[in-house]
Amino acid sequence: MSPITTTDQRPGPALHHILRLCATVLLALGILVLTGWLLHLPLLVRVIPQAAAMVANAAICFLLAGVALLLPANAPAWRRYGQTLIGGVILVLALAVLSQDITGVDLGIDYLVRGDWLHDTRPHPTRMAPNTAIAFALTGVTLILTQLVRHTAADWVVAALSLVILLIGLTAFAGYLLAIEFLFSWYPYTRMAVHTAAAFSVLGIALLLNRRVQTQRPVYSLGSEDRHILTVGSAILVGMALLAGVSGFLILEQQASGALKHTLEQTLANRVDTHRLAIEQAVTSTRLIATRPDIERGLKRLVD
């Protein structure tokens, strides 16, 4: 495979600022969530009441990712070795969590902090969700490969993994935004905490920028005018397809929600009518019994 050759070459200062901003957000989020776990502050750990919380291991991974992306670009050796080491740590931790879900063996890595104060009824309230662990595993691989890519195939792998991480975050965020879990019980992505989903979206963008800064290559390359037209046309078609799909889903979600609401209201009305008829029948039966002559004579003798 031949090395990549480009004509554009150095990223501008704005790109560095955006990368530092994204990394700072990830670092601050990790510190805040760890503080919430240590001081038992539910608002920092779980943004939406009764929803999934960002676990301590996830906060540590976001903190490490923020540190890796904040390593100075003017010290390439430190940045290369630091990001490779941090990527390896995140990858090992994520794979360990995934192995617990696959094998059922508890490695004890979920009990860094106590979680009983959250009163979470889930089987493992302090364990990150499988999709969270997968996203962190991809993050570790991306940080490692960013320091090793020298050829086109590996470079595109880094870009693809960064986009997958971004997509995982956006998909989980859509689960909360559209309340998909109330319509489809098989939709698992809302196990991820809402601020975890938002952080993965930021992390995916930061990894794309980090690839650009580290390798001094554009996020994508347009070799000729016909490729430019093809890329822009494809992007427009994909955008229109996504817009149509999301619009259709929103319409179906509103119709399903309305139909479910109508069904529940009708069921409630039927139950109320059933109870009302039972009460009226009981009252009528009691009155009929009370008007019987034998009952009246017996009551009169008791009074006498």
Side-chain angles (χ1 to χ4, degrees):
M1 191 73 65
S2 61
I4 297 176
T5 58
T6 60
T7 56
D8 179 26
Q9 306 342 342
R10 289 199 170 272
L15 209 62
H16 289 275
H17 295 329
I18 297 174
L19 177 58
R20 292 192 191 99
L21 177 61
C22 294
T24 304
V25 169
L26 295 173
L27 179 64
L29 179 63
I31 293 174
L32 285 175
V33 173
L34 283 177
T35 303
W37 278 105
L38 294 175
L39 300 182
H40 297 180
L41 301 175
L43 184 61
L44 298 179
V45 174
R46 183 164 52 190
V47 176
I48 301 177
Q50 307 305 322
M54 182 190 292
V55 300
N57 287 335
I60 292 174
C61 289
F62 281 126
L63 189 152
L64 291 175
V67 171
L69 296 171
L70 281 174
L71 291 175
N74 55 5
W78 280 95
R79 187 178 182 88
R80 180 169 62 254
Y81 295 131
Q83 288 193 358
T84 302
L85 177 61
I86 292 175
V89 172
I90 294 175
L91 177 61
V92 169
L93 181 58
L95 291 179
V97 173
L98 277 177
S99 67
Q100 293 183 126
D101 291 323
I102 295 173
T103 63
V105 178
D106 193 347
L107 300 178
I109 60 176
D110 302 323
Y111 309 112
L112 181 65
V113 292
R114 293 178 55 188
D116 52 354
W117 57 274
L118 268 182
H119 305 291
D120 197 329
T121 58
R122 294 174 179 82
H124 302 286
T126 56
R127 178 180 300 178
M128 66 176 71
N131 53 333
T132 304
I134 291 173
F136 278 128
L138 297 179
T139 300
V141 173
T142 304
L143 287 173
I144 295 172
L145 287 181
T146 302
Q147 309 307 319
L148 303 177
V149 291
R150 293 295 180 271
H151 295 74
T152 306
D155 186 59
W156 280 109
V157 168
V158 171
L161 291 180
S162 302
L163 290 175
V164 169
I165 295 168
L166 175 62
L167 182 61
I168 290 176
L170 293 177
T171 305
F173 196 75
Y176 284 99
L177 186 63
L178 302 177
I180 298 177
E181 76 278 9
F182 294 112
L183 296 178
F184 306 109
S185 59
W186 47 263
Y187 187 77
Y189 299 104
T190 49
R191 282 191 56 191
M192 183 188 293
V194 61
H195 45 331
T196 303
F200 273 127
S201 302
V202 175
L203 179 58
I205 297 173
L207 289 173
L208 286 172
L209 297 177
N210 181 59
R211 165 186 173 269
R212 172 72 172 98
V213 169
Q214 188 68 26
T215 61
Q216 296 184 5
R217 298 166 188 154
V219 176
Y220 59 89
S221 177
L222 301 176
S224 59
E225 290 297 328
D226 56 345
R227 181 172 294 183
H228 175 78
I229 295 173
L230 178 61
T231 303
V232 174
S234 301
I236 293 174
L237 288 176
V238 171
M240 292 178 63
L242 289 176
L243 180 61
V246 171
S247 301
F249 180 83
L250 288 176
I251 294 173
L252 290 176
E253 188 268 341
Q254 292 177 357
Q255 291 179 350
S257 178
L260 180 61
K261 180 180 179 181
H262 177 73
T263 302
L264 292 175
E265 290 177 348
Q266 191 64 37
T267 302
L268 178 61
N270 292 337
R271 289 186 178 182
V272 170
D273 291 339
T274 301
H275 286 291
R276 183 184 296 112
L277 290 174
I279 293 172
E280 290 177 354
Q281 185 177 3
V283 170
T284 302
S285 299
T286 303
R287 287 176 177 173
L288 289 175
I289 293 173
T291 56
R292 290 180 181 178
D294 294 339
I295 299 297
E296 290 182 354
R297 284 195 296 268
L299 291 174
K300 187 175 182 180
R301 283 200 297 270
L302 286 175
V303 172
D304 294 341

